[in-house]
Amino acid sequence: MSHSRSLVAPSSLGLPIAQVRNVFNADEVERKLANLQASGHERDHEGLRATWQRMLERGPGRFAVKPSGIPDMEPLYELLPNFGEVLDDVKRHVALSQDSRDSLEVTPMLLLGPPGVGKTHFARQLADLLGTGMNLVPMSSMTAGWLLSGSSSQWKGAKPGKVFEALVDGQYANPVIVVDEIDKASADAQYDPLGALYSLLEHDTAQHFIDEFAEVPIDASQVIWVTTANDERGIPEPILNRMNVFEIAPPSLEAARKIAAHLYRGIRTEHDWGQRFDPELSDDVLDQLATLAPREMRRALLTAFGNARLDHRDTVEPQDLPRPGLGKGRIGFLQ
């Protein structure tokens, strides 16, 4: 299942290189499909038949990408100043895999910190840096353990889980999968929402992960796991022991100003209308934005851009920003 072949020649520029890696055994899927057809029960298992056929149509090969060298991460240190320790860890993993045939392996990580400090945003930036895709699994909305591992095809409305979807329906053998708010998973008497993670977070057992719906081993050993939580007390010790735990503090006031300035420049560059506006924000606007959680800054900036244009101005001013609610969207900063 883990056979791979090189697709792109290594580059000295730090650009992504890729191998094609098989994430399942097509012969095994063909056997299961043939057995189902021979049994005469295809109509009773229409979803399962369609899933196996989709797997064969897509084929088992997925891109396993990695940077060919250590990429320039300075912009990320600037954009995510409170994630320096995590970025250092990622840089070490990239260094180990560079100039080698080995795949990129990143130890599963838990980002621990208050809401709004940018944990999910960090995961998106990490996926962009590594050249792979990102999938979000929100545990707070989860009521059963099958969200990750799929549910038995014998149940009405059953379907494959998020890991299967990321690997079989996606393009990458090593996507970033974010298990968001892992401490909010609510277990009931029948299901353990985190049960699948016991094997998925271990490299050896993840190579033969079986989705309960598809009933076919999937190679999930290359997945880059990022979990987030507000409180580690809600996470079982065996899960914690499988991850590197990083405590993410709110950004300092100066760091929050840098984040706001970076977001302003990014929005301005992304849009044609952005060229009408001043290249940089004033200190007054930066000070006001710095009181917001990073996740709120972008929305506030878009509102401010619109208000400035309605007022026929090319400069964003403090009054263009939305008025803060009663504490909503705000976050304390470090002195």
Side-chain angles (χ1 to χ4, degrees):
M1 188 185 301
S2 60
H3 296 306
S4 61
R5 62 185 186 276
S6 179
L7 184 73
V8 181
S11 162
S12 60
L13 301 176
L15 301 173
I17 60 173
Q19 294 179 327
V20 174
R21 184 182 181 96
N22 289 342
V23 296
F24 62 85
N25 186 320
D27 291 340
E28 186 162 353
V29 179
E30 286 179 352
R31 282 195 298 271
K32 284 187 172 290
L33 185 58
N35 290 339
L36 178 60
Q37 291 168 339
S39 73
H41 295 137
E42 278 186 274
R43 194 168 288 180
D44 297 332
H45 300 281
E46 180 61 30
L48 192 54
R49 181 191 65 79
T51 296
W52 287 338
Q53 285 187 331
R54 188 170 83 249
M55 292 175 75
L56 294 176
E57 288 169 2
R58 293 220 62 208
R62 299 292 179 273
F63 295 127
V65 299
K66 67 175 182 179
S68 62
I70 299 178
D72 178 15
M73 294 173 64
E74 284 309 311
L76 280 187
Y77 282 97
E78 183 88 5
L79 176 61
L80 302 161
N82 47 335
F83 286 83
E85 190 181 354
V86 196
L87 290 169
D88 289 346
D89 192 53
V90 171
K91 186 184 288 188
R92 284 190 287 270
H93 285 94
V94 172
L96 287 173
S97 69
Q98 71 169 330
D99 303 325
S100 76
R101 297 179 183 176
D102 294 333
S103 299
L104 173 66
E105 291 184 28
V106 177
T107 303
M109 64 181 73
L110 169 64
L111 307 179
L112 194 62
V117 293
K119 301 187 291 289
T120 307
H121 179 63
F122 166 82
R124 293 189 190 282
Q125 296 294 324
L126 177 63
D128 288 344
L129 174 74
L130 301 178
T132 187
M134 187 192 114
N135 297 264
L136 185 67
V137 183
M139 298 296 277
S140 58
S141 62
M142 189 172 176
T143 57
W146 46 260
L147 188 58
L148 280 168
S149 60
S151 53
S152 172
S153 61
Q154 298 182 30
W155 292 96
K156 185 178 180 180
K159 61 181 182 178
K162 294 289 188 179
V163 176
F164 179 95
E165 289 178 1
L167 294 168
V168 174
D169 296 331
Q171 302 179 56
Y172 301 100
N174 59 340
V176 173
I177 297 184
V178 181
V179 184
D180 200 30
E181 296 188 309
I182 191 174
D183 52 329
K184 302 283 176 52
S186 54
D188 58 32
Q190 285 183 293
Y191 298 103
D192 177 4
L194 303 180
L197 284 178
Y198 290 93
S199 60
L200 285 167
L201 296 180
E202 292 280 4
H203 183 271
D204 292 344
T205 53
Q207 286 183 302
H208 307 284
F209 171 71
I210 296 182
D211 181 272
E212 290 187 27
F213 181 87
E215 301 174 353
V216 177
I218 302 291
D219 183 1
S221 63
Q222 302 298 299
V223 170
I224 297 166
W225 290 98
V226 178
T227 67
T228 75
N230 300 331
D231 188 346
E232 65 181 314
R233 289 173 296 183
I235 307 170
E237 193 65 30
I239 297 290
L240 281 174
N241 290 341
R242 286 166 164 79
M243 300 185 289
N244 285 343
V245 180
F246 299 96
E247 294 194 23
I248 310 299
S252 66
L253 177 59
E254 187 54 38
R257 285 168 53 90
K258 287 182 179 179
I259 293 170
H262 187 280
L263 285 172
Y264 174 83
R265 290 191 294 268
I267 295 171
R268 182 178 173 275
T269 303
E270 288 166 9
H271 298 88
D272 182 57
W273 50 256
Q275 304 313 305
R276 301 171 180 269
F277 286 88
D278 295 341
E280 301 291 340
L281 285 172
S282 69
D283 287 341
D284 289 347
V285 177
L286 287 175
D287 286 343
Q288 197 164 322
L289 284 167
T291 66
L292 298 176
R295 68 165 55 158
E296 302 291 336
M297 287 181 186
R298 184 178 179 87
R299 289 201 295 269
L301 278 167
L302 286 171
T303 298
F305 275 119
N307 285 334
R309 285 301 297 152
L310 286 173
D311 204 27
H312 307 290
R313 283 183 281 103
D314 299 331
T315 299
V316 172
E317 298 179 358
Q319 65 267 25
D320 296 324
L321 293 167
R323 292 180 181 177
L326 296 175
K328 185 178 179 181
R330 292 182 164 264
I331 190 168
F333 53 80
L334 300 179
Q335 298 293 340

